[in-house]
Amino acid sequence: MSEAIGRVRADLAGADPVVRRSDRADFQCNAALALAKRIGVEPRDLATDIVGALDLDGQTAVAAAAPSGPGFLNVTVTDHAVWEQVAARLRDPRLGTGAPEGGRRTVVDYSAPNIAKEMHVGHLRTTIIGDSLARVLAFLGADVVRQNHLGDWGTQFGMLIQYLDEHPDATWHHDELDEGASAVSALNDLYRAARAEFDADPDFADRSRARVVALQAGDPDTVAVWRGIITESERSFRAIYDRLTVLLTAEDSVGESFYNPMLADTADELVAAGLAVESEGALVFHSDEVSGPEGKPAALMVRKSDGGYGYDTTDLATIRYRIRELGADRLVYVTDSRQSLHFQLVFEAARRAGWLTDGTSAEHVAYGTILGPDGTPFKTRAGGTVRLVDLLDAAVTRARAVVVEKNPDLDAAELDRIAESAGIAAVKYADLSTSRVKDYSFDVDRMVSFTGNTGVYLQYAHARISSILRNAGDPDTTVDPTTALHPAERDLVLTLDAHGAVLTEVAATLEPHRLCGHLYDVARAFTAFYEACPVLKADEPVRGNRLALCRLTARTLGHGLDLLGIAAPERM
């Protein structure tokens, strides 16, 4: 198509034909609309000329092309070209997808739980959205650096360490607890007890503040307890990450404490650049782009009036470090939408300080809130925050009931495996398939359904195709491109063919729901194909072609689910 455009006008050679899928043909070429305006002709006239320049003698992939509407081109490709595409994608371990992010070092900041506190429902979206984006970007060639920005610094650690020192019988190490008990859960309870004592006893509060000073000064005994708290907390986080098949490791954890030595230098650099100014004893960055209350410039607190630093300065130091020391070309922060203003100001300060340049980008991947089935904020019956582990358990329990209902003869071990896989898939897919900027309701019954746009439906589709291939003897499949295409075969192939383009869109927009929608379209197209086109009972070479389509569909579904961090079982 691009060559035909160049034959019409030499000055248009190499133009993007802007080809998209179409409901009226295989594809729609939209290039004439923009190019006609550029050269001063009518779009439909240019579209007609492009058709005339096409070689439709059967030697090219294009079978037919016709102008439509104000200047669109409806394009149909040959059956031979469609089957050749199937064969080519089957031969390619990357399913025909390139590496457009190659050579781009990308830091993805996600999850970020607080040390000594349990992960709760609020950590779900950042963890699984961030993990999926990291997977997609890495597959497309980016040099991905995962960063888990742990909350491991502050006054709360002084009071907790002091409480542990004064209550030596308190148990919180994993090897001291009952089987199945969580160290971070025990630490969370101890922190609440320490907080209560801090609020009720001024002497304990003074001792806790002194302990903070000791921690900041590097007192060996205090630091040893602090490191033990971090180790036990990360061990508990690891159990949840493993269950969610999240790729974060201990090496990806970089807590707030890591940046503490950099805060003063960061503030000094902003002062030297004239970006941080004194205001009522504090050091403040004023925005040129965002207004706050009463029309005054919005501000970041670079240094408090008491000389201390907060998370504004930590995030400024973090962005500086990731660009200068990690060599990042792209920074991706996955946090909820309530932090949008904060990151807008941090990015502005980083640009004006010269840290963010034309060659680097910083993006806030904002997301909405998880609601209960009734549409209100998701809480426990007592009104508290829902623990993430309880949320996952509820989904697995419901999935187990659904699986037992469909297949009551499963043995216990197989039932456990399928229920866990389906329950986790249900939770992750329900989140990822929703446009991330929107709120969504956590409705377990809908999530674990084997029908509709759910993770379980896609897992079942993959398992069903795997069963077909097993029943066929799992043969090596070859494609005969001379075989005529059934309309359902054509629709399935063209749907599969969008895989690479969809992944590129996800990388550009940082919106995983686009991949979810694509996989759902693939599963539905396969269902329509399987209902219209017998596979195992077909004669050769049709049987071989259809088995090749089954194999390509299974590989595409499996690959897409893996990029979402969801298992693709061969049996369910």
Side-chain angles (χ1 to χ4, degrees):
M1 190 63 68
S2 182
E3 292 177 1
I5 294 172
R7 285 195 288 270
V8 172
R9 289 277 299 250
D11 56 341
L12 299 180
D16 182 355
V18 194
V19 176
R20 304 286 186 269
R21 281 296 308 276
S22 172
D23 293 334
R24 300 186 178 184
D26 291 341
F27 298 101
Q28 181 174 280
C29 170
N30 299 334
L33 294 171
L35 295 176
K37 183 176 181 180
R38 191 166 111 193
I39 62 176
V41 300
E42 289 296 320
R44 190 174 177 90
D45 292 342
L46 179 57
T48 301
D49 290 344
I50 293 171
V51 172
L54 284 169
D55 182 2
L56 302 179
D57 62 1
Q59 301 303 308
T60 64
V62 179
S68 174
F72 303 116
L73 267 181
N74 289 335
V75 180
T76 300
V77 296
T78 65
D79 291 1
H80 190 282
V82 173
W83 284 123
E84 288 284 10
Q85 180 73 339
V86 172
R89 291 191 66 214
L90 276 173
R91 288 192 300 268
D92 185 354
R94 294 182 57 83
L95 296 171
T97 303
E101 295 291 315
R104 194 177 191 188
R105 172 157 271 215
T106 302
V107 175
V108 184
D109 182 322
Y110 64 106
S111 195
N114 291 314
I115 293 298
K117 293 185 180 180
E118 290 191 272
M119 293 181 72
H120 54 74
V121 65
H123 292 109
L124 178 64
R125 302 208 73 184
T126 173
T127 302
I128 64 177
I129 292 172
D131 195 63
S132 178
L133 292 176
R135 289 169 183 258
V136 171
L137 292 167
F139 175 72
L140 294 180
D143 176 13
V144 172
V145 180
R146 295 174 174 82
Q147 293 280 273
N148 196 358
H149 190 78
L150 299 173
D152 67 348
W153 201 247
T155 305
Q156 67 270 29
F157 291 99
M159 69 177 71
L160 176 56
I161 294 169
Q162 187 62 32
Y163 186 87
L164 293 175
D165 186 53
E166 296 180 13
H167 297 80
D169 294 336
T171 55
W172 52 279
H173 293 90
H174 70 275
D175 53 2
E176 301 171 331
L177 302 172
D178 294 337
E179 185 176 354
S182 163
V184 77
S185 179
L187 285 166
N188 199 40
D189 290 341
L190 291 166
Y191 169 73
R192 282 199 292 263
R195 176 85 246 186
E197 190 163 342
F198 183 92
D199 293 337
D201 184 349
D203 291 337
F204 177 77
D206 289 341
R207 294 194 298 275
S208 296
R209 293 188 186 99
R211 184 67 73 166
V212 175
V213 174
L215 177 61
Q216 293 171 340
D219 172 66
D221 291 339
T222 302
V223 169
V225 178
W226 174 72
R227 292 195 185 282
I229 292 170
I230 292 173
T231 299
E232 290 293 348
S233 298
E234 286 208 72
R235 182 186 180 91
S236 295
F237 299 155
R238 178 75 264 154
I240 290 181
Y241 291 150
D242 287 347
R243 194 172 182 190
L244 286 170
T245 62
V246 164
L247 299 179
L248 285 170
T249 67
E251 289 71 30
D252 302 320
S253 296
V254 185
E256 294 174 357
S257 60
F258 176 80
Y259 302 99
N260 201 56
M262 309 175 196
L263 302 185
D265 285 347
T266 301
D268 290 345
E269 189 169 335
L270 292 171
V271 171
L275 297 175
V277 297
E278 291 279 345
S279 176
E280 298 180 2
L283 198 60
V284 178
F285 164 82
H286 289 119
S287 173
D288 285 346
E289 302 173 3
V290 183
S291 296
E294 302 177 1
K296 296 179 180 179
L300 285 172
M301 182 67 68
V302 178
R303 188 173 63 227
K304 300 175 185 178
S305 58
D306 64 2
Y309 300 98
Y311 67 88
D312 285 354
T313 322
T314 300
D315 281 345
L316 288 167
T318 300
I319 199 170
R320 189 182 72 149
Y321 175 82
R322 289 172 176 173
I323 292 170
R324 289 183 176 174
E325 304 302 324
L326 296 184
D329 302 303
R330 186 182 192 184
L331 300 172
V332 175
Y333 292 81
V334 187
T335 70
D336 72 60
S337 57
R338 291 171 297 181
Q339 297 189 48
S340 294
L341 175 60
H342 168 73
F343 280 106
Q344 186 177 353
L345 295 175
V346 168
F347 296 161
E348 180 191 348
R351 283 194 304 273
R352 290 171 60 187
W355 307 333
L356 276 174
T357 65
D358 292 341
T360 55
S361 65
E363 297 155 274
H364 177 215
V365 180
Y367 54 81
T369 302
I370 300 178
L371 306 174
D374 60 355
T376 62
F378 199 25
K379 300 285 186 181
T380 64
R381 290 184 179 180
T385 302
V386 178
R387 298 192 313 162
L388 185 49
V389 67
D390 292 337
L391 182 149
L392 299 179
D393 286 345
V396 170
T397 298
R398 184 70 189 99
R400 179 189 299 273
V402 172
V403 172
V404 167
E405 186 176 331
K406 290 183 70 71
N407 193 346
D409 297 327
L410 281 174
D411 67 68
E414 185 72 354
L415 175 59
D416 287 344
R417 182 191 66 79
I418 293 175
E420 179 72 13
S421 175
I424 299 301
V427 170
K428 297 183 78 170
Y429 189 83
D431 193 304
L432 294 169
S433 61
T434 303
S435 174
R436 59 175 168 76
V437 298
K438 296 181 179 179
D439 300 341
Y440 77 93
S441 295
F442 192 89
D443 184 342
V444 173
D445 289 339
R446 179 183 61 81
M447 289 177 178
V448 301
S449 174
F450 275 73
T451 60
N453 189 10
T454 69
V456 181
Y457 170 71
L458 294 183
Q459 285 187 311
Y460 181 68
H462 183 270
R464 181 186 183 193
I465 301 169
S466 299
S467 176
I468 294 168
L469 292 170
R470 281 196 304 274
N471 290 336
D474 203 24
D476 291 331
T477 49
T478 57
V479 175
D480 181 350
T482 65
T483 304
L485 267 172
H486 187 283
E489 293 173 322
R490 178 181 292 271
D491 183 62
L492 176 56
V493 176
L494 295 178
T495 303
L496 291 166
D497 196 50
H499 194 64
V502 169
L503 294 181
T504 302
E505 287 179 12
V506 172
T509 62
L510 303 176
E511 294 177 337
H513 77 274
R514 295 172 183 257
L515 175 55
C516 295
H518 165 63
L519 296 179
Y520 183 52
D521 288 343
V522 167
R524 289 195 301 170
F526 180 83
T527 297
F529 152 76
Y530 192 67
E531 290 175 350
C533 303
V535 176
L536 298 180
K537 294 182 180 180
D539 296 327
E540 296 294 353
V542 173
R543 185 178 190 269
N545 280 16
R546 289 177 178 173
L547 283 171
L549 259 182
C550 289
R551 188 177 300 283
L552 182 57
T553 303
R555 281 186 56 195
T556 303
L557 281 175
H559 180 250
L561 287 170
D562 181 67
L563 293 180
L564 296 174
I566 294 174
E570 295 190 358
R571 301 175 188 270
M572 283 190 75

